[in-house]
Amino acid sequence: MNQIFADVILPLPVKGSFTYAVPEGIDLTIGQRVVVQFGSRKFYTAIVLKIHNEKPKKYDAKELLAILDEKAIVNEKQLQFWLWITEYYMCNLGDVMNAALPSSFKLASETKVMIHADFDGDLQDLNEHETAIVNALLHQEELSVQEIIPLINNKSVFGIINEMIRKEIVLLKEDLHDKYKEKIIRIVELASENLQLKLTEKQEQLLLHFSDLKIQFPKKKWTVTDLIKKAKVSRGVLDALVKKGVFKIELQSISRLLNDFEKTETTKELTAPQQKAFEQIKDSFKDKKICLLHGVTSSGKTEIYIKLMEEQLAKGKQVLYLLPEIALTTQIISRLRKHFGNKVGVTHSHLNNSERVEVWKAVQEKGKSKPQYPIMLGARSALFLPFDNLGLIIVDEEHDPSYKQHQPAPRYHARDTAIYLANIHKAPLLLGSATPSLESYYNATESKYNLVELNSRYQGLEMPKIKCVDIRKAHLKKQMQAQFSPKLLNEIKETIASGKQVILFQNRRGYSPILSCTTCAFTPNCKHCDVSLTYHKWQNQIKCHYCGYAENIPTVCPSCTATDFDSKGFGTEQIQESLNALLPEATISRMDYDTTRKKYAHQEIIREFEQGRIDILVGTQMVTKGLDFDNVAVVGILNADNMLHYPDFRAYERAFQLMMQVAGRAGRKGKQGKVLLQTYDEKHKVIQLLKAHNFKQFYSEQIDERKIFNYPPFSRIIGITLKHKDKNRLDKASNQLAIQLRKSFLHRVLGPEYPSISKIRNYYHKDILLKIEHKASVKKAKTILNSIIKKLQEQKDFRSVRIILDVDPV
C-alpha cells in the first residue's frame, strides 16, 4: 500500500506548504485542521491543502499527530482564493491563513514535560539537573518548561531536556488549548407546582413574580440574572427554592450573535431613474460579470442593492456586501436588517474571537441546511468567510482607501480581491460609488467593466450648492474667529437657529499638530519616530499618531528654558473647543479616532445626531462615510488645502473624493443643502471642478496626467520598503537592491528614497517603487523581483534588513 502524504499550511510567516505523512487508516479531507510538529518542540494547528503519494525528497516527513475536525472547516474555493492572494500580493501562505481564520481555530500550544513511560526510575546515572527534574516530576505529573527553569537554575534548559528525551527519561507533551467556548446561560424553570412546602415571604414573592412573568411573556426564557433582578431578591432566595425542588436551573448554549431582528419594512418602489439603473445592471451581468454603478450622493443606490439581494435570496444564493469601515455604517446595517430581518449577519474587527467563530459557522452551509446568514455585511476581512454559494458581491464606496490592508501581510486590496473571489464563484460583482476610483472608472470606459450611471438625487432633490470662502482675505482683514470665517460662522448660527444641523469636516484629529516654543521654535518630536508630537489638550499630553508614544506637556523648553509654548495648526479637538466658546448654546460633538475607541461609541454619536440631540458634528473622514441624515443643511470644510498639497500622485483624487463625499451629507431631504469650503486658493482647478460637481471633467484631466507619467491605471506598481535600525546599513542595502533591480527593470525603478516619515518605531525606512507597464508580464516581473531580493538577503550584512513588498499600494 502506498504511503499517503498531506501538504499542510502552517500559521507562520514562512514560504509555501509543508509535507507530512498520513498515518495508516486515517481518513483525511482537504480543508480539515490537523496537529503537526514543526521544529523540535513546537506543535501547530495546520490546514490540509493537498493529499498525494509523493514522498518529499529533501527531508523525512513527520506524521500528522491528530485530526481536529470531522469535516473540513475551509472549503476548496477558499483555498484557491488563499493561493491566489499569496501569489498576487507576494506574501506567505501562512500570513493569509492567519488573516482568514478566527484565532480560536488556530489552537495555542504550551510545551509540557512528563516522565517517559519506559523510564525505570533509576536515578544512579543521572546528573544533578536531571535528578532535580525527575524528582519534581515524581511529585507532579507534568511541568511546563517555565516551571523547570527555576528548579535547575540553568539557562540551557532546552539542552538538558533534549538530552533527557534522547535517554528516554522524559517526553514532551503539547497541550493544545481550544480557545473557543460556547456561551452558556442558566435558565430558570419551574420544577413542580404541587409541592406542599413552607416558604418564606421572600421565596413566595419570587415564586409569584415568576408566575406573573410567565403569563406576561409565555415564550421568554428567564435567566438567573434577569429573574432575580426583576423580582428584586437575592441569589440566596433562588438557591433555596432550587434546593426545595420548586425551581430547577438548566444550562443552555446560546449564540453570541444578535438574532432578534424582525423584518419591519417592505420593498420600496424604485423611482424611474432607479428602475432604469436596476434593469441596466441586471442586463450588464449577462455579458460581463463586473459592473460599476456611478451614482451621485443620495441617489438611492442602497435601494437598488436591496432589489438585487432579494433576487439572489430567491435563488437560494448568498450575498456579500462589503463596506469600507463597518463601524461607521450602522445606518446601512440597520436599514438592511429592517428589510431582511435575521438573514443579515455582520462581521468586523471589533468582534471578539468567540463571536468570529460563530459568524464563521453561521456562514457555512451544513449539509442540506442553508447558512444562518445568507447576507453578510463586512469590512475587507469578510472576504475570507467560508462562502460556498455566492450569488452576488457588492463593494459599496469602492473608491475608499480603507479597503487596502497595510499592516500586517497580506497587504491586499479588498475591491480587487473581491473581483477574483467573484470569479471563483462565477458570481456577478457590483462596484458602487459617487466618486469612483480612477482605476475603476477607466476600466468601465475601456469596456472592461460595464458602467451604469445615476446622475440625479432620489426624488429629484438638488445637489448641494458648494461655495468657496477665501480665508486669505479674512486673515488679512483680521476677520477670522478661531478657525472660522465670518461667512461660515454666520451660516452655522442661522442653520442652528432654524432647527437644522451642521457637519464640520477637518481631516486631522487632536488639538493641534504642532506644539512649539515661542522663544526658540523648539518642537517636541517622538523618541521612536521622525515626526512631531500632536497636542491633545483634553488629555494634557502630546502624542505620536504612528507608534502611540506620549509625553506630558513640557513646562520648560529643553532647548532655551523658556516656559511659553504655542500650538500651530488645528485638529478636531480644537475646533470643538472653539465652537463651545463661540456658540455656548449649541450642542457640539466630535467623531474621530479619539472619541470612537470604545466598542459602541460611534453608534452612540450617530444615534444622538440622528435624533437631533447634537447640533454640530465635528469630525475627520469618519463623517464622510455611509451617513444619511435628514436634517443636515450645512456642511463646512475647514481647510481644503491640506488635502490638495500632499506628496502623492493620488492627492487630487483623494481630496476630490473626500470633499465630494462630505458635501453629499448636506440637503439629503427637502431643501437644497449648502457646502462652505474654506481655502486659500479658491481658483484651484480641483476646487472649481468640485463646485461644479463635475466628476467627468476631473476624471478626464487626471487620467491624462496619469498617462503622461505612466501611473496607474497605465501601469502596475510594486512598493518595496526596506527597514532597519541602523541607517547606514539600510542605505547600503537599499542602494544595492536598486542597482540590481535596474539591471533587470531599467527606468522602471524609482528610488531608493526616504519617505516623508523616515523613521517609525525606531526603524528607518527607505522606499523603492517598481512601475510595470500593462503590456509587460507582471508575473515574470514578480519572479525576477523575488530572485533579486533572495540573493540580497543571502548576504551576511543584509540578513537583518526587513524587506516589505506591497503590490498596488494606495
Side-chain angles (χ1 to χ4, degrees), residues 349-414:
S349 58
H350 284 191
L351 297 182
N352 62 41
N353 286 327
S354 297
E355 287 169 334
R356 286 191 70 194
V357 170
E358 293 192 12
V359 167
W360 186 280
K361 291 178 176 178
V363 171
Q364 269 183 324
E365 292 201 11
K366 303 174 183 72
K368 292 181 180 178
S369 64
K370 294 294 179 187
Q372 182 182 337
Y373 293 140
I375 298 173
M376 274 308 303
L377 269 75
R380 55 180 182 258
S381 60
L383 289 162
F384 294 109
L385 289 169
F387 299 107
D388 199 34
N389 190 25
L390 266 180
L392 174 67
I393 300 177
I394 297 168
V395 183
D396 200 10
E397 309 295 351
E398 65 84 29
H399 66 277
D400 200 291
S402 301
Y403 280 125
K404 174 68 176 180
Q405 164 81 5
H406 295 286
Q407 289 289 354
R411 294 172 179 83
Y412 65 99
H413 196 296

Side-chain angles (χ1 to χ4, degrees), residues 292-295 297 301 305 322-324 395-404 413-416 431-441 621 624-626 650 653-662 665 695 810:
L292 172 63
L293 173 60
H294 175 209
T297 54
K301 294 186 287 294
Y305 299 157
L322 288 181
L323 298 157
V395 183
D396 200 10
E397 309 295 351
E398 65 84 29
H399 66 277
D400 200 291
S402 301
Y403 280 125
K404 174 68 176 180
H413 196 296
R415 177 195 63 221
D416 302 338
L431 306 172
S433 177
T435 53
S437 64
L438 293 191
E439 286 90 337
S440 294
Y441 203 78
Q621 61 179 356
T624 71
K625 298 178 184 182
R650 284 195 173 92
E653 180 186 5
R654 293 273 180 267
F656 186 89
Q657 288 167 342
L658 268 176
M659 289 190 282
M660 183 67 85
Q661 289 286 341
V662 76
R665 304 310 110 201
F695 171 80
V810 295

Side-chain angles (χ1 to χ4, degrees), residues 351-631:
L351 297 182
N352 62 41
N353 286 327
S354 297
E355 287 169 334
R356 286 191 70 194
V357 170
E358 293 192 12
V359 167
W360 186 280
K361 291 178 176 178
V363 171
Q364 269 183 324
E365 292 201 11
K366 303 174 183 72
K368 292 181 180 178
S369 64
K370 294 294 179 187
Q372 182 182 337
Y373 293 140
I375 298 173
M376 274 308 303
L377 269 75
R380 55 180 182 258
S381 60
L383 289 162
F384 294 109
L385 289 169
F387 299 107
D388 199 34
N389 190 25
L390 266 180
L392 174 67
I393 300 177
I394 297 168
V395 183
D396 200 10
E397 309 295 351
E398 65 84 29
H399 66 277
D400 200 291
S402 301
Y403 280 125
K404 174 68 176 180
Q405 164 81 5
H406 295 286
Q407 289 289 354
R411 294 172 179 83
Y412 65 99
H413 196 296
R415 177 195 63 221
D416 302 338
T417 345
I419 290 169
Y420 187 78
L421 182 65
N423 181 54
I424 291 173
H425 287 268
K426 304 284 189 290
L429 178 128
L430 181 63
L431 306 172
S433 177
T435 53
S437 64
L438 293 191
E439 286 90 337
S440 294
Y441 203 78
Y442 175 79
N443 284 333
T445 56
E446 293 292 303
S447 299
K448 189 175 178 182
Y449 306 162
N450 277 310
L451 177 64
V452 174
E453 300 197 272
L454 260 176
N455 295 318
S456 60
R457 284 186 140 190
Y458 184 68
Q459 292 183 337
L461 288 172
E462 289 185 274
M463 294 295 290
K465 192 171 185 178
I466 301 176
K467 294 180 180 178
C468 286
V469 180
D470 189 343
I471 52 175
R472 185 191 301 276
K473 290 177 185 174
H475 273 292
L476 288 171
K477 293 178 182 177
K478 297 187 177 178
Q479 294 175 328
M480 294 292 288
Q481 288 184 264
Q483 301 83 26
F484 305 96
S485 61
K487 197 169 186 179
L488 177 57
L489 199 56
N490 287 335
E491 281 288 354
I492 293 171
K493 288 176 181 176
E494 287 174 16
T495 303
I496 294 168
S498 66
K500 296 289 185 179
Q501 292 169 299
V502 177
I503 289 178
L504 296 177
F505 171 61
Q506 167 66 359
N507 206 21
R508 188 186 290 276
R509 66 187 172 98
Y511 188 85
S512 168
I514 295 171
L515 195 72
S516 66
C517 172
T518 55
T519 304
C520 71
F522 167 80
T523 302
N525 285 329
C526 178
K527 289 184 176 180
H528 313 296
C529 308
D530 182 20
V531 65
S532 60
L533 296 170
T534 301
Y535 177 32
H536 288 251
K537 190 173 182 179
W538 71 284
Q539 292 175 312
N540 199 34
Q541 283 187 326
I542 42 178
K543 283 185 172 184
C544 175
H545 288 179
Y546 286 85
C547 71
Y549 171 77
E551 289 180 5
N552 290 327
I553 304 298
T555 53
V556 176
C557 174
S559 177
C560 71
T561 69
T563 56
D564 288 332
F565 283 84
D566 190 21
S567 59
K568 307 286 184 188
F570 58 91
T572 49
E573 188 187 345
Q574 189 176 154
I575 294 163
Q576 185 181 20
E577 183 184 272
S578 300
L579 284 169
N580 284 329
L582 292 166
L583 304 168
E585 302 300 316
T587 307
I588 300 145
S589 193
R590 177 162 54 97
M591 189 158 77
D592 56 25
Y593 180 76
D594 295 320
T595 61
T596 57
R597 287 185 182 184
K598 290 182 182 176
K599 194 168 184 178
Y600 299 110
H602 60 276
Q603 292 179 4
E604 188 59 35
I605 294 168
I606 289 168
R607 192 181 301 115
E608 286 188 354
F609 195 66
E610 271 183 321
Q611 292 170 358
R613 286 185 276 167
I614 296 168
D615 298 316
I616 305 170
L617 181 63
V618 181
T620 57
Q621 61 179 356
M622 287 185 175
V623 299
T624 71
K625 298 178 184 182
L627 301 179
D628 184 10
F629 300 118
D630 294 355
N631 202 36

Side-chain angles (χ1 to χ4, degrees), residues 188-193 207 210-211 214 245-248:
V188 181
E189 293 288 358
L190 203 60
S192 175
E193 294 183 41
L207 186 57
F210 182 78
S211 300
K214 276 293 183 185
V246 177
F247 286 135
K248 61 182 177 181

Side-chain angles (χ1 to χ4, degrees), residues 238-299:
L238 175 62
D239 289 343
L241 286 172
V242 171
K243 276 186 182 179
K244 289 179 178 180
V246 177
F247 286 135
K248 61 182 177 181
I249 293 175
E250 295 177 353
L251 300 182
Q252 195 173 102
S253 171
I254 64 157
S255 171
R256 291 176 172 85
L257 309 175
L258 298 173
N259 286 311
D260 56 348
F261 303 102
E262 290 185 18
K263 182 175 176 178
T264 57
E265 281 185 3
T266 54
T267 310
K268 291 179 183 176
E269 287 295 318
L270 298 183
T271 62
Q274 284 177 320
Q275 186 65 37
K276 183 181 177 184
F278 173 63
E279 297 296 341
Q280 285 176 332
I281 291 166
K282 286 205 299 178
D283 288 343
S284 77
F285 287 151
K286 292 173 184 175
D287 64 322
K288 290 188 183 78
K289 288 292 186 182
I290 306 170
C291 179
L292 172 63
L293 173 60
H294 175 209
V296 297
T297 54
S298 195
S299 58

